[in-house]
Amino acid sequence: MTRGFSMEEEARLVILKELAKEDNKAMSSSRMQGFLLTGFLIDKSREWVEAQYQYLKDMGAVSVIARDTVKIARLEARGQHHLSGLINIPGVMPVSARPE
C-alpha cells in the first residue's frame, strides 16, 4: 500500500484500472475479488468488494447492476476521467500516487 492512502482508496483505484482494461469495461464482484487477492494480496470478501463498487457508484465512477448473487460494475465516464487525471474522485487514490 502506498503511504498516506487507505487500503480502500488504493483498492478503488485498482478496481477502476481493471474495469478500464476489460473489453466491455465491466467485471463481476466475484471475479474482482479473485483479482484483488491474486494481483494485490487484498484478501477481502465479495461483500467488501461490492461495498467498494457501491462507493464508486455513489461517486459516479461506475454503474452497478445485480446479476443473480453477484454485482457487476461498469466503468463510467467519471471513472475514466479519474484514471486520465482530469479529475480526482474523493476516496479514490489518484493515479499519480500509485507507481505502476
Side-chain angles (χ1 to χ4, degrees):
M1 186 171 69
T2 307
R3 292 181 54 143
F5 293 96
S6 71
M7 178 180 45
E8 287 84 0
E9 291 170 317
E10 183 170 13
R12 291 171 189 149
L13 175 60
V14 169
I15 288 168
L16 292 178
K17 284 183 170 186
E18 289 311 304
L19 292 175
K21 290 178 186 176
E22 293 295 305
D23 289 339
N24 63 355
K25 307 293 184 223
M27 187 182 295
S28 72
S29 53
S30 59
R31 187 163 161 233
M32 185 65 75
Q33 177 190 16
F35 177 80
L36 289 170
L37 176 59
T38 59
F40 293 88
L41 302 177
I42 298 174
D43 185 15
K44 295 292 185 180
S45 68
R46 191 179 81 217
E47 291 77 16
W48 185 89
V49 173
E50 290 172 356
Q52 305 317 307
Y53 278 10
Q54 184 61 49
Y55 181 90
L56 291 167
K57 178 183 176 187
D58 291 346
M59 294 291 108
V62 303
S63 56
V64 178
I65 58 171
R67 287 288 182 258
D68 298 320
T69 61
V70 300
K71 294 190 178 175
I72 300 168
R74 181 179 308 279
L75 186 67
E76 295 294 339
R78 186 168 165 79
Q80 185 60 56
H81 293 331
H82 181 88
L83 293 174
S84 299
L86 297 174
I87 63 167
N88 283 318
I89 298 173
V92 181
M93 179 186 289
V95 176
S96 60
R98 188 174 201 293
E100 290 299 317

